[in-house]
Amino acid sequence: MFVDKVLVQVKAGDGGNGNVSFRHEKYVNRGGPDGGDGGDGGDVIFEADKDLNTLIRFRYKQELTAENGQAGGKRRMHGKNGQDLIVAVPVGTMVFEDGKPVGDLTQDGQRLIVAQGGDGGFGNAHFISSTRQAPKVAEVGEKGQAFELTLELKLLADVGLLGLPNAGKSTFLSVVSNARPEIADYPFTTLTPNLGVAKVDDDALLIADIPGLIEGASEGKGLGDEFLRHVERTAVLLHLIDIYNEDVAAAYTTIRKELAAYNTELTARPEIVALTKIEHIDAKVVAAKKKALAKVVTPGIDILTISSLTRDGVQDLLRLAERAVAVTRQTAQVEAAVEADAVPVIELAAHAKEQAWQVTQEGDVFKVTGTKIEKFAARTNFDSEAGVQRLRDIMRKMGIMHELERQKIRAGQQIIIGDSHGKINY
């Protein structure tokens, strides 16, 4: 079964808690703190795999969870890190969170960390200093990131085959490549996109057979709206038209209208047009059909004629497609390079962004936000007075307490750090 859109829950591993421990050994007088750090939680990682062509496995396994880190032990023993969860997805998979793109896996072996594991908490051995010889504070492990993600597969092909049902797309693909699509003389034989690799002299083309489109496909009629997304990434569109169609011009314009309705950019994509099934057609009829088609095809686009049965015109068509793909890919690379050079990116340095914080007042509650302080809060054990006092000390060093005082915070008022971390009283 072909599945090209799924919803999954991803949860990275939580960090292990740090340990509060003191050496208690015979002959060791006044043993010091020796609590170890907790292990880091595992990440959830997507890896593109060229041997996959469907997202069907995620219909049955929609929760992807990495391993938690283990707690620290005595004698400064570091907890074991949680194992990363590496999940194979097809090349061409896009990842979205709340409709916003997170990543696009377009190369075999490419990896994307979609949820980062939480850091392990420090044990009390980490906090020893010249003024604090017996710290009783340890951090809890940070929670791993958790998201609901949408995975959407858009086939990455050089050539996308377009046409009304029974235009001869599946037959063409079976003749020029190693693909074996279902072929029969009735509409919608192809129920899922098919991929095939066609040899063209010393080169190769990856061709996608998009299931038959009909008028209204972009609005959900027929099968087209489910598969139009797979046309978006093809470099060149190959439009096949059945020569037995009574009105070849109308057949052509029907598909063009659906492309425009779905995505206007597709109508500007390089295109090749070919009449199919010419093996038993008189030359005068072929010429008349070409003439009728020429009235609606963009000037400058050649109209080819082919027979997949006899292979007549097929090799010339593939060579034309190969040249068009090469030009399109090269142009896209140049445009991307120019765009990257033309747009300056001005942003805070990573260190400055991490250190930044903000204090806002909501009624009698003061809310503190910022990457670094929220990270400290997430690792604070709010049931431990020593842990809470350490957090207050950190806030004072970062200048947050000064800002709270500037905003006239009063004794007993609450301070909330981030959206889901603990509360402390001033």
Side-chain angles (χ1 to χ4, degrees), residues 147-265:
F147 303 105
E148 182 177 75
L149 301 176
T150 299
L151 306 187
E152 188 173 297
L153 175 60
K154 293 184 180 180
L155 296 177
L156 285 168
D158 297 313
V159 177
L161 297 182
L162 296 177
L164 294 175
N166 278 351
K169 301 186 301 299
S170 297
T171 302
F172 175 81
L173 187 66
S174 69
V175 166
V176 301
S177 75
N178 55 356
R180 292 295 175 264
E182 182 181 352
I183 300 170
D185 189 22
Y186 56 85
F188 300 126
T189 301
T190 303
L191 300 179
T192 65
N194 289 302
L195 281 175
V197 179
K199 294 289 291 181
V200 187
D201 300 326
D202 295 328
D203 208 341
L205 287 176
L206 184 60
I207 302 176
D209 173 16
I210 310 302
L213 305 179
I214 62 171
E215 187 172 3
S218 59
E219 300 172 357
K221 295 181 181 179
L223 305 175
D225 69 315
E226 291 295 320
F227 304 113
L228 270 168
R229 71 169 65 96
H230 298 293
V231 183
E232 291 186 70
R233 300 219 227 194
T234 55
V236 174
L237 302 179
L238 175 52
H239 196 142
L240 301 185
I241 302 167
D242 186 350
I243 201 167
Y244 286 94
N245 195 304
E246 292 184 5
D247 191 340
V248 292
Y252 173 79
T253 56
T254 294
I255 301 302
R256 292 287 293 181
K257 287 179 181 177
E258 294 310 315
L259 290 179
Y262 179 77
N263 185 341
T264 55
E265 294 181 4

Side-chain angles (χ1 to χ4, degrees), residues 62-98:
Q62 296 177 329
E63 295 183 3
L64 308 173
T65 306
E67 189 177 43
N68 294 332
Q70 294 183 2
K74 298 180 179 180
R75 300 182 182 180
R76 297 179 182 259
M77 290 291 291
H78 193 290
K80 181 182 176 183
N81 291 335
Q83 188 171 357
D84 293 337
L85 178 65
I86 300 175
V87 183
V89 297
V91 173
T93 298
M94 296 186 71
V95 184
F96 297 88
E97 183 196 358
D98 292 332

